Amino acid sequence: MRTVAERLPKSARLRRRSEFVAAGRGARRAVLPHFIVLINRGSGRIGITASRKAGGAVERNRIKRVVREAFRKYRSTWCQGKDLIVIARAGASDLSYEEAVRELAVALRAARSGG
């Protein structure tokens, strides 16, 4: 079990629909093979969605755990002053943790460079 210091606090997550809508309005979009990432100015929070297209409940929950862990670990370098919405696409549940981190890092680098 993680210590309290290692956990991603609820304040670092987008939780309500209104928060997702606000963060998605005017956001930059990065379309990747397994994720769509919306990046907008904000307070450094993350929201993760995974529809049934991404797989059954077990696969969707695994995707969300992997993305949340990657965000927790790389939060300071990935999203200073940015809110992220990560939408899982079909096949995302087949990725390993390392592959998911690499793919998400590509999106965030592209967003920082303006492309």
Side-chain angles (χ1 to χ4, degrees):
M1 182 117 181
R2 293 191 200 289
T3 65
V4 173
E6 292 176 328
R7 291 184 185 156
L8 183 64
K10 286 184 180 181
S11 63
R13 295 185 228 161
L14 299 172
R15 300 179 63 209
R16 295 193 169 100
R17 183 180 190 282
S18 60
E19 294 172 337
F20 274 84
V21 170
R25 197 173 291 127
R28 265 200 182 141
R29 179 182 294 248
V31 180
L32 305 164
H34 300 100
F35 300 103
I36 297 172
V37 182
L38 304 176
I39 305 159
N40 205 351
R41 289 186 198 154
S43 57
R45 298 178 302 165
I46 188 167
I48 307 162
T49 64
S51 72
R52 287 188 186 163
K53 291 178 186 178
V58 172
E59 290 86 7
R60 293 193 310 267
N61 287 327
R62 180 186 174 282
I63 293 165
K64 290 188 269 188
R65 279 193 312 271
V66 165
V67 172
R68 215 172 15 249
E69 173 62 13
F71 178 78
R72 184 196 66 77
K73 190 170 183 182
Y74 298 104
R75 183 178 180 193
S76 61
T77 57
W78 276 5
C79 64
Q80 291 292 77
K82 292 185 178 26
D83 284 345
L84 307 176
I85 298 175
V86 179
I87 304 166
R89 300 176 80 185
S93 63
D94 298 333
L95 295 177
S96 70
Y97 171 76
E98 291 79 17
E99 292 168 332
V101 168
R102 266 195 303 272
E103 195 167 318
L104 292 168
V106 166
L108 298 169
R109 268 196 307 272
R112 263 187 296 216
S113 67

